[in-house]
Amino acid sequence: MNLAILIGVSEYKTLSKLPGCKNDVKSISELIHKTEKFEKILEISEKTDSTSVKNQLIDFINISKDEEVDEVIFYFTGHGSYVEEEFYYILSDFDSSRKTQTSLQNSELDSLLKTLNPKLVVKFVDACQSGFSYIKDLDSIDNYIKSTKGNFKNCYFLFSSLNAQSSYQNQDFSFFTLSILNAIKNHSDEKVRYKNIIDYVSDEFSKNSIQTPFFVTQASFTEIFCTKNKILDSFLNSIPNTFEDSKEIIEEVNSHTKSIEELIILDSKKNLSNDKVNEFFQNIKETIKNFQINQEYKNLYDLAISFLTHNNSPKSLASIGDYLSKNKGYFAEASYENVEYESIETPNRPASIFSSFNNQPITVTKTRKEINGYYLNAKYPFEQIRIDVKSKYPNLNSFNCSIFFISNDRKIRFYWFLTSYIKKSWNEQDLDTRFNWNIFEYEFIELDIINQNFKNINAEINKLLDNHIQKILEKK
């Protein structure tokens, strides 16, 4: 039995949209069907959030794991990221503070595929630059991908680009996917080996310097992808040539080939001046000032938004300070406080007739420095954003969302939490400190993505209100 898993993600909540990916997965799906080789095909291009994708993938694996599987093809087109020795297939609901939950890890995919015990595994990965922590270390990702081939008996891995380059596309196709289709279309023999596809794609991209595909093989080079037929040929003839459609983009990028000095100067524009950073903060301030409570709850709650010049919180900021103590390069430092603690010690007194008494363990009070928060070394328009959702009725809880940040002149890292107030008396309430920090980090120039993250926070506030009010009503 031969299986195919095809995933195409074109719409993202917090990342740039990839319009070409819609046609990518549609065309690869049509290709796979017209080969008449694959008995089971899973295509995911509509519900591409992490929960839906993982559930569909697991269900597909489960119904196939008792079969004898000869070959599995996995195709992915969308954003991709390599972080901390793991490759992530980025899904539509991606959240950088929950990257493991909102993406598909390559190690997770491999574990699922291994349960099928396939004779051959093929991966086509057309991963476009995600705009955050993208693949920057070619040697590192090279070694990582090569190490994963040991998970399978035989394999071919074809990746669109695995360094600081982007994987290019226009409104119709990603060029890597288009090149794969053309490799089959232009092959002179009816039988098309995977090695034929690799050779064609490699030769085609060698004509330009903007994108370099990457291949890992552990097979005999005799494995056949498909045998062409009239129906397949008819479909392939409708596919445009790769670098004819992309010619304008290729020429534009190549015409801007820079010297090392020019590239450094160009990259330096991502480091913002103090004035530009102040403009950035004004922009996000306007986004947050536009936060809204859902219309049906506007008469139940008041929304109060404050931009504070000093970071303060009932919750200790020690976790941010701890991060700063281990990660340098921000315009901020960990703060410390002296903490008393007790230590049991045995005095080292000279021997005497009373030595057994004199050397009894005693409790000694000492002090040590512990991280209790952080402070900013640079001046910003504000240091904390406080959003209070105040209940107008005593049977409804009030809530708080607090946002903090650290930055340098190039990137900014946000920390935020969302929690409820707990009543201590009729006129007194405290924040519930049982919550987790959420984190996202981007370069200042990625303002659109940052603002989208803030809009997501607004959505989370309304989601919390929905859940809370539903629970109140269910009690009735």
Side-chain angles (χ1 to χ4, degrees), residues 249-310:
I249 294 178
I250 302 299
E251 289 179 349
E252 180 183 350
V253 175
N254 283 336
S255 68
H256 287 81
T257 301
K258 307 287 185 181
S259 67
I260 290 177
E261 181 182 0
E262 289 172 325
L263 288 171
I264 292 297
I265 292 172
L266 185 63
D267 185 69
S268 71
K269 297 184 185 301
K270 295 179 180 180
N271 295 69
L272 302 191
S273 67
N274 191 22
D275 288 341
K276 289 292 183 183
V277 169
N278 286 339
E279 290 178 15
F280 167 89
F281 276 96
Q282 186 58 41
N283 189 295
I284 64 169
K285 184 175 183 178
E286 291 303 314
T287 298
I288 293 168
K289 284 168 66 177
N290 287 325
F291 274 21
Q292 296 286 333
I293 296 174
N294 285 344
Q295 185 65 36
E296 57 187 323
Y297 303 143
K298 283 192 172 181
N299 293 329
L300 303 178
Y301 287 96
D302 286 326
L303 190 65
I305 302 174
S306 307
F307 298 88
L308 308 178
T309 54
H310 297 285

Side-chain angles (χ1 to χ4, degrees), residues 18-31 75 77-78 126 128 167-182 185 205 211 235-247 249:
L18 301 173
C21 293
K22 287 184 178 179
N23 278 341
D24 287 346
V25 71
K26 180 181 177 183
S27 296
I28 293 295
S29 175
E30 197 162 350
L31 168 71
Y75 171 83
T77 179
D126 199 345
C128 297
S167 296
Y168 283 84
Q169 65 170 233
N170 56 23
Q171 293 293 314
D172 298 321
F173 288 99
S174 300
F175 299 157
F176 179 70
T177 294
L178 199 55
S179 185
I180 292 169
L181 294 167
N182 274 287
K185 170 186 174 181
F205 278 90
Q211 183 176 339
F235 161 68
L236 291 171
N237 286 333
S238 68
I239 299 297
N241 292 327
T242 311
F243 289 104
E244 282 185 5
D245 276 33
S246 61
K247 185 177 179 182
I249 294 178

Side-chain angles (χ1 to χ4, degrees), residues 238-442:
S238 68
I239 299 297
N241 292 327
T242 311
F243 289 104
E244 282 185 5
D245 276 33
S246 61
K247 185 177 179 182
E248 291 182 7
I249 294 178
I250 302 299
E251 289 179 349
E252 180 183 350
V253 175
N254 283 336
S255 68
H256 287 81
T257 301
K258 307 287 185 181
S259 67
I260 290 177
E261 181 182 0
E262 289 172 325
L263 288 171
I264 292 297
I265 292 172
L266 185 63
D267 185 69
S268 71
K269 297 184 185 301
K270 295 179 180 180
N271 295 69
L272 302 191
S273 67
N274 191 22
D275 288 341
K276 289 292 183 183
V277 169
N278 286 339
E279 290 178 15
F280 167 89
F281 276 96
Q282 186 58 41
N283 189 295
I284 64 169
K285 184 175 183 178
E286 291 303 314
T287 298
I288 293 168
K289 284 168 66 177
N290 287 325
F291 274 21
Q292 296 286 333
I293 296 174
N294 285 344
Q295 185 65 36
E296 57 187 323
Y297 303 143
K298 283 192 172 181
N299 293 329
L300 303 178
Y301 287 96
D302 286 326
L303 190 65
I305 302 174
S306 307
F307 298 88
L308 308 178
T309 54
H310 297 285
N311 59 56
N312 59 77
S313 171
K315 171 77 174 178
S316 170
L317 301 177
S319 57
I320 303 178
D322 184 61
Y323 177 83
L324 286 168
S325 72
K326 300 171 184 174
N327 298 271
K328 306 302 180 184
Y330 293 89
F331 297 166
E333 295 180 41
S335 59
Y336 296 81
E337 64 179 343
N338 289 322
V339 177
E340 288 189 350
Y341 69 100
E342 292 185 342
S343 174
I344 298 176
E345 299 182 358
T346 302
N348 186 17
R349 297 190 175 108
S352 71
I353 59 173
F354 303 107
S355 59
S356 61
F357 175 77
N358 292 340
N359 290 334
Q360 289 296 314
I362 60 173
T363 301
V364 179
T365 300
K366 294 185 174 182
T367 61
R368 64 186 171 204
K369 291 193 174 215
E370 291 186 359
I371 295 173
N372 67 343
Y374 74 102
Y375 60 91
L376 301 175
N377 291 325
K379 187 172 179 59
Y380 298 90
F382 49 86
E383 296 186 3
Q384 177 190 352
I385 304 163
R386 186 180 179 93
I387 303 162
D388 282 308
V389 185
K390 300 179 179 179
S391 163
K392 295 182 180 180
Y393 296 93
N395 57 331
L396 295 176
N397 285 350
S398 294
F399 298 93
N400 170 267
C401 176
S402 291
I403 305 170
F404 304 83
F405 65 86
I406 55 177
S407 87
N408 52 30
D409 58 350
R410 188 182 182 103
K411 63 184 179 179
I412 185 163
R413 182 179 180 89
F414 287 97
Y415 292 78
W416 66 277
F417 64 75
L418 180 58
T419 190
S420 63
Y421 282 98
I422 298 175
K423 292 180 182 178
K424 295 185 70 178
S425 69
W426 283 272
N427 299 313
E428 188 179 1
Q429 57 185 5
D430 279 342
L431 283 181
D432 185 348
T433 57
R434 296 170 296 177
F435 58 78
N436 295 318
W437 286 103
N438 299 282
I439 305 167
F440 61 93
E441 179 174 343
Y442 295 96

